[in-house]
Amino acid sequence: MTRRPVLAIVMCMTALLLNRGYAGTGVPEQEVIEKTLENGLKILVKADRRAPVVVSQLWYKVGSSDEPAGMTGISHVLEHLMFKGTEELEPNEFSRIIAANGGRENAFTGRDYTAYFQSIASSRLEICFRLEADRMQNLKIDEAEFKKEVEVVKEERRLRTDDRPESLTYERFMATAYREHNYRNPIIGWPQDLNTMTVQDARDWYEQWYTPNNATLVVVGDVEPQAVFALAEKYFGPIPRRDVAPRSTTAEPEHKGPRRISVEVPAQVPYLLMGYRVPVIAEADSQDWEPYALEILAYILDGGKSARLSTELVRKQQIVSSVSAGYDATARAATQFLFDANPSPGKDIAAVERAIRAEIKRVQTELVSAGELARVKAQIVANNVYERDSVFYQGMKLGALETIGLDWRLEQKMTERLRAVTAEQVKKVANKYLVDENLTVAILVPGAQRPAQES
């Protein structure tokens, strides 16, 4: 899991953020302007003129959760192939052009989306649009390049998952926590599917999902919105729309009791991963405050060195060398409220699990104090302010919300929703969701180390 950033917040800043929102932070609120082209491409533009730079992000509404059985990893493989040339561009020429113009570019695949981005001087935005529109409609998927990139992805999997015991444990945890929903599959794909994937699979996936009416273009930076719309119309407007099949909606059945697995692989230290199935904003109906209360709860438990898990388990009890909790309210389907920890030398995993459960029991039986609740809320607001220093992360929030099916305007309301959470609501969600009926536990048991290779 990714640790939350530790934020140093002085009391005067805390009071300012709680009472005045973002005012006075040096990060002015800017209006987001929206337009949809006739072919269905949605465009979101947010002007931020503090520096002569711009970020352009193109989000496609397709990710690993849309992949059918036997084709896991295809979204990520296609992400690689998007840099391998079009009818006009040679392989990797896209990247060379962006670099030659002083920019940087990359892409990422998630469970619910695939996105491509460029950060560049605002005067060079047209170059990004021209290149991105070209590969939206003219991608050349060559068999030799396909085979090469599949091998790259396999090596990436070996380095990031197979040879990392904690990552492998997380992968097996997800396959246990979900029985039906495609969140059970790794984004990078199962090894057997990567071995049997064909170039035609990649071509079909591209044709199925890469169309303007299945995409959102997000632009943040030193730009004039109407000029951005004109450029988008010039380059993306002529691309015809295509019918897009409905996205996967496989429902995950109720949990009905705890699930446990042990993963024995070569490792230095044991590792505990616990997850409780919880709702997200996209599926919270009448109880729409619950995801925000869960977010507050995550920060109470693990919002930096002053949070409960670090204070109690690391420094006071010294039972763990590391511990964290995390929750993502902006997934497309029910997700996991996660805990993970490594025991301190001489401590066993069972004791670590008992200690984490004790902290859960504490929030289930005792109301969070007014002071602790205020500190956590200020921390979240401050984190949002710091993210707004980056045009990239401003775009990320807009693009992610829009792509998973939530209105991008929610980004402007989330802070107020978080600030409205009460101590009673935090206690309620802890009692409702952090229970054994929703629990999955994975334990990494260090096995025999591989013998050293002779040189």
Side-chain angles (χ1 to χ4, degrees), residues 125-144:
L125 179 62
E126 184 170 3
I127 296 170
C128 301
F129 280 17
R130 174 172 59 82
L131 295 174
E132 203 67 87
D134 180 34
R135 66 179 176 181
M136 178 185 275
Q137 59 184 327
N138 300 316
L139 187 65
K140 184 178 179 181
I141 303 181
D142 176 78
E143 185 158 12

Side-chain angles (χ1 to χ4, degrees), residues 147-450:
K147 290 180 178 179
K148 192 186 309 179
E149 287 309 307
V150 168
E151 291 305 314
V152 170
V153 171
K154 288 180 184 178
E155 180 62 19
E156 185 180 337
R157 182 190 159 83
R158 283 189 286 269
L159 291 173
R160 295 185 177 182
T161 302
D162 298 335
D163 291 342
R164 292 188 178 184
E166 292 185 4
S167 297
L168 191 61
T169 302
Y170 175 77
E171 180 177 273
R172 296 182 184 177
F173 164 88
M174 292 295 286
T176 303
Y178 295 92
R179 297 287 173 85
E180 300 294 336
H181 196 280
N182 282 353
Y183 279 1
R184 72 186 316 274
N185 297 319
I187 295 170
I188 203 165
W190 294 112
Q192 62 271 25
D193 292 346
L194 294 174
N195 287 333
T196 58
M197 191 177 295
T198 69
V199 67
Q200 193 58 47
D201 291 333
R203 290 168 180 161
D204 291 344
W205 202 248
Y206 173 74
E207 290 295 324
Q208 181 177 352
W209 299 105
Y210 279 52
T211 176
N213 48 305
N214 195 48
T216 301
L217 177 64
V218 179
V219 177
V220 182
D222 185 19
V223 293
E224 293 291 343
Q226 296 307 318
V228 173
F229 295 146
L231 281 177
E233 186 68 61
K234 176 181 178 180
Y235 290 102
F236 293 97
I239 303 175
R241 63 185 296 147
R242 294 192 301 275
D243 291 337
V244 178
R247 300 182 70 181
S248 173
T249 56
T250 303
E252 178 68 19
E254 290 185 17
H255 214 288
K256 295 184 178 180
R259 303 170 184 172
R260 286 181 170 272
I261 61 167
S262 293
V263 180
E264 185 171 346
V265 293
Q268 296 294 329
V269 294
Y271 175 64
L272 171 68
L273 183 58
M274 301 169 58
Y276 295 87
R277 182 180 172 183
V278 290
V280 292
I281 295 172
E283 63 173 19
D285 297 323
S286 59
Q287 303 296 319
D288 63 351
W289 54 267
E290 288 185 340
Y292 301 97
L294 287 165
E295 183 71 22
I296 294 288
L297 175 57
Y299 269 82
I300 288 169
L301 293 168
D302 181 29
K305 291 183 179 179
S306 61
R308 292 187 178 189
L309 293 180
S310 182
T311 298
E312 294 295 328
L313 275 59
V314 177
R315 295 196 297 279
K316 288 186 179 180
Q317 299 181 37
Q318 299 183 6
I319 196 169
V320 298
S321 58
S322 65
V323 62
S324 68
Y327 166 67
D328 177 13
T330 57
R332 189 155 57 99
T335 188
Q336 300 288 315
F337 194 108
L338 291 169
F339 296 85
D340 73 336
N342 296 110
S344 298
K347 304 295 183 180
D348 62 49
I349 284 288
V352 173
E353 183 176 342
R354 288 194 297 271
I356 292 175
R357 284 177 173 269
E359 291 305 313
I360 294 172
K361 188 69 174 178
R362 183 180 165 198
V363 294
Q364 290 173 332
T365 56
E366 303 173 9
L367 285 177
V368 178
S369 70
E372 186 175 17
L373 191 59
R375 175 183 59 77
V376 165
K377 289 179 180 181
Q379 188 174 13
I380 294 173
V381 174
N383 193 25
N384 289 340
V385 171
Y386 297 150
E387 286 182 349
R388 285 170 178 253
D389 275 338
S390 164
V391 292
F392 178 80
Y393 282 106
Q394 291 181 60
M396 280 285 292
K397 285 189 173 183
L398 295 171
L401 288 171
E402 185 66 34
T403 305
I404 65 168
L406 294 171
D407 193 315
W408 58 264
R409 295 170 185 82
L410 181 62
E411 191 270 336
Q412 301 170 342
K413 303 174 184 176
M414 291 179 74
T415 300
E416 290 305 315
R417 297 299 303 272
L418 288 165
R419 289 170 61 188
V421 170
T422 66
E424 290 78 9
Q425 289 175 330
V426 173
K427 184 178 177 182
K428 283 182 180 179
V429 293
N431 278 285
K432 183 175 180 179
Y433 295 109
L434 304 193
V435 294
D436 278 359
E437 287 78 6
N438 298 328
L439 176 63
T440 302
V441 179
I443 296 174
L444 168 61
V445 180
Q449 297 295 314
R450 297 188 182 97

Side-chain angles (χ1 to χ4, degrees), residues 104-136:
R104 62 183 183 88
E105 44 70 47
N106 213 323
F108 51 88
T109 304
R111 290 191 165 85
D112 301 318
Y113 43 67
T114 309
Y116 303 83
F117 66 87
Q118 301 86 42
S119 297
I120 202 165
S122 50
S123 61
R124 307 297 175 90
L125 179 62
E126 184 170 3
I127 296 170
C128 301
F129 280 17
R130 174 172 59 82
L131 295 174
E132 203 67 87
D134 180 34
R135 66 179 176 181
M136 178 185 275

